[in-house]
Amino acid sequence: TNNYQRSALDRVIKEQSAEIVAGGSVFYNPVQEFNRDLSVSVLNVFARRLLKERNAAAKKNVKEGNIETNNIEDNALTAGQKYENGLRILEALSATGLRSIRYAKEVAGVREIIANDLSKAAVESIGENVKHNKVENLIEPSQSDALTLMYLSTGNDKHFDVIDLDPYGCPNRFLDAAVQSIANGGLLLVTATDMAVLAGNTPEACYAKYGCVPLRMKCCHEMALRILLHSIETHANRYGKYIEPLLSISADFYIRVFVRVHVSQAKCKYSMSKQSMVFQCTGCETFTLQQLGNVKVNTTDKGKSQTKFGIPTGPNVGMNCEHCGHKHHMGGPIWSYPIHDQEFVKELIQAVNDKPLCELGTQRRLQGVLAVVQEELFDVPLYYVLDKLCCVLKLENIPVLKFRSALLHAGYRVSFSHASKNSIKTDAPATVLWDILRCW
Ligand code: SAM
């Protein structure tokens, strides 16, 4: 039936502040609780940051006499209250409305949330759940194709400060509309669950969807994050926009990225230097990155600095591997700039730690993942997995900690990646890794 009715298939679900009914045909996945807890926490920190930036801009305008009053909210924000200058959020693919209800009840500094879904049954369930949770003041249920809704919201006064895309599988068909309907400096939250494609099982499908050739590598989870970021950046660049990743997480069977989208034609010129091709040896699996572009700041004779954009020379797919002589596979381009913002991660950890313990169902896991993220070498893309390195040299497995300390003693930096527990992220050249292992 199309009419919303309680049926034997309905389940009552309680997740943190929200209590919802998930009907038989409406999508609900309990495993995504971590994703929702993380998103609520990120939005709280982001809301504070955005409102602070807006307050500062408004104060400057008042001082310069451009506007009479800044009409801005005070800094002590409360969840559940409506703020006229707060965040305008679109949950484009909302299903039961659970995520939107949690944003309404748990994120401070919200103006309004559009909880949208294409399915009539889903939108009826959103309506019921919104009423049941008494958040009609903040949430407007909407039944529309997400693309149409976003394309109709590309005018300045209609832009969203936050767009959450949580589709089945690949998010790519929604990205063109999303980067256009997001406000300058707004936050895009994107989930992708098509991990087999991103991990290189069908490179032709990944190229068609994400514009990137994936490689079957041990670091496939971070590679997947970088493929998605590359794709969002290229969509943004078409409209004179560029992305600033705040946090990029690989968890369970999906990846989730949180990126700000800014407007600047000038900054788009730097985009080429944030992407790289990846060369992977078909014998020992050593990888090398080759930036698509490089940036040089030259000082001219008159003392004026000038930025030059160049195409670098570097490893070539035709060249054999310097370590074992095999040929290379070539993949990419991927996003090779940092995937997290260090300052944002610090604030986020603080915010999660400040919460009463167990306020979030997955709080301990969140703390654990974010602690590893904070330690990650932000400027070193991808990682090796020690078991695989040992396997290439037919060595017995070596304890990760001992290998890490060998690298540290040799004067290099090393960290784990949150995406794999046996990972070795290091700025040591591959020759050093192989030398250490050969002497083991
Ligand atoms: N965000 C939800 C959560 O946290 O529970 C789960 C969303 S579920 C994975 C995907 C939803 O997208 C489904 O409810 C489906 O009806 C909806 N959907 C699929 N295509 C759509 C489209 N073009 N426009 C709007 N909604 C769509």
Side-chain angles (χ1 to χ4, degrees):
T1 170
N2 276 337
N3 292 331
Y4 185 78
Q5 303 173 340
R6 291 275 151 86
S7 84
L9 292 171
D10 286 355
R11 288 156 295 160
V12 177
I13 289 136
K14 189 151 171 37
E15 190 178 287
Q16 280 52 284
S17 65
E19 187 177 275
I20 59 145
V21 176
S25 64
V26 182
F27 180 90
Y28 163 72
N29 187 351
V31 179
Q32 294 267 18
E33 181 182 354
F34 175 74
N35 182 333
R36 289 183 285 268
D37 281 353
L38 176 64
S39 305
V40 164
S41 311
V42 166
L43 280 189
N44 267 311
V45 177
F46 175 70
R48 259 205 322 261
R49 197 181 257 208
L50 190 73
L51 295 188
K52 214 183 212 173
E53 285 172 10
R54 286 187 176 164
N55 282 353
K59 274 184 189 139
K60 192 165 166 248
N61 264 337
V62 172
K63 212 169 168 186
E64 289 169 1
N66 299 337
I67 55 171
E68 278 179 16
T69 158
N70 54 6
N71 187 29
I72 36 173
E73 276 93 20
D74 133 36
N75 268 336
L77 302 164
T78 316
Q81 263 185 35
K82 189 181 181 85
Y83 290 89
E84 276 317 315
N85 291 330
L87 302 184
R88 215 175 152 241
I89 302 175
L90 169 66
E91 193 198 354
L93 311 129
S94 186
T96 57
L98 169 59
R99 202 177 275 264
S100 290
I101 291 168
R102 290 201 50 197
Y103 291 166
K105 295 179 99 167
E106 297 173 42
V107 176
V110 172
R111 167 153 54 128
E112 69 170 328
I113 302 169
I114 315 287
N116 177 72
D117 205 283
L118 188 58
S119 139
K120 189 170 181 203
V123 180
E124 280 165 355
S125 123
I126 294 172
E128 285 286 314
N129 289 326
V130 165
K131 258 192 235 152
H132 180 69
N133 285 274
K134 301 188 176 53
V135 280
E136 297 99 319
N137 62 330
L138 287 173
I139 300 183
E140 187 189 315
S142 143
Q143 187 188 351
S144 175
D145 171 33
L147 289 175
T148 312
L149 198 160
M150 290 189 281
Y151 281 128
L152 289 175
S153 309
T154 54
N156 259 341
D157 50 339
K158 296 187 196 137
H159 277 152
F160 294 104
D161 301 308
V162 173
I163 299 180
D164 191 327
L165 297 175
D166 182 41
Y168 299 126
C170 172
N172 238 37
R173 54 195 293 268
F174 300 107
L175 293 179
D176 181 71
V179 296
Q180 289 185 72
S181 64
I182 194 129
N184 187 8
L187 186 71
L188 207 50
L189 301 80
V190 186
T191 310
T193 59
D194 53 343
M195 294 307 289
V197 171
L198 288 161
N201 287 0
T202 45
E204 69 288 359
C206 190
Y207 184 73
K209 288 178 171 184
Y210 292 94
C212 169
V213 178
L215 294 173
R216 289 175 71 105
M217 295 169 84
K218 283 287 174 188
C219 56
C220 61
H221 292 108
E222 188 179 316
M223 183 89 168
L225 288 168
R226 292 180 180 279
I227 290 172
L228 178 57
L229 291 171
H230 164 75
S231 180
I232 304 175
E233 172 78 348
T234 53
H235 278 96
N237 287 168
R238 280 172 208 139
Y239 304 101
K241 300 181 177 188
Y242 70 97
I243 63 164
E244 176 197 7
L246 296 184
L247 181 68
S248 310
I249 293 291
S250 157
D252 305 321
F253 55 89
Y254 63 88
I255 52 173
R256 176 85 161 157
V257 298
F258 303 85
V259 301
R260 288 190 83 173
V261 180
H262 301 281
V263 178
S264 167
Q265 284 285 4
K267 291 264 176 74
C268 285
K269 291 185 188 162
Y270 292 83
S271 183
M272 188 167 79
S273 55
K274 298 174 187 170
Q275 323 294 324
S276 294
M277 301 305 289
V278 186
F279 296 86
Q280 182 195 25
C281 170
T282 52
C284 64
E285 296 195 13
T286 302
F287 62 78
T288 321
L289 266 67
Q290 174 62 64
Q291 258 177 288
L292 295 193
N294 56 15
V295 182
K296 271 192 217 131
V297 178
N298 288 345
T299 307
T300 59
D301 342 326
K302 287 176 193 143
K304 272 196 175 167
S305 64
Q306 224 183 13
T307 308
K308 287 211 182 233
F309 299 93
I311 301 174
T313 53
N316 182 308
V317 73
M319 266 168 49
N320 289 359
C321 170
E322 60 175 299
H323 309 289
C324 73
H326 282 73
K327 293 247 184 284
H328 286 102
H329 280 313
M330 181 176 72
I334 60 164
W335 174 266
S336 49
Y337 232 47
I339 60 174
H340 320 289
D341 175 272
Q342 223 151 5
E343 201 44 47
F344 187 84
V345 172
K346 215 163 108 191
E347 276 178 56
L348 183 60
I349 291 177
Q350 188 66 48
V352 174
N353 288 346
D354 284 351
K355 277 190 180 295
L357 205 60
C358 297
E359 188 174 306
L360 296 169
T362 64
Q363 197 155 342
R364 287 219 186 272
R365 180 174 175 200
L366 208 49
Q367 286 169 327
V369 171
L370 292 176
V372 182
V373 165
Q374 193 180 29
E375 297 293 311
E376 267 178 30
L377 293 179
F378 279 36
D379 53 342
V380 178
L382 305 181
Y383 53 84
Y384 288 98
V385 168
L386 190 53
D387 307 358
K388 179 69 202 175
L389 296 179
C390 293
C391 182
V392 171
L393 291 186
K394 300 195 169 45
L395 291 173
E396 274 188 22
N397 279 350
I398 292 169
V400 179
L401 285 181
K402 284 201 172 158
F403 188 66
R404 283 167 57 109
S405 55
L407 283 167
L408 289 171
H409 280 302
Y412 297 99
R413 294 179 299 145
V414 61
S415 79
F416 287 110
S417 152
H418 77 278
S420 165
K421 66 176 187 322
N422 243 350
S423 48
I424 302 280
K425 216 181 222 314
T426 179
D427 59 353
T431 326
V432 174
L433 301 184
W434 292 124
D435 282 350
I436 293 177
L437 285 171
R438 277 195 209 95
C439 304
W440 206 268

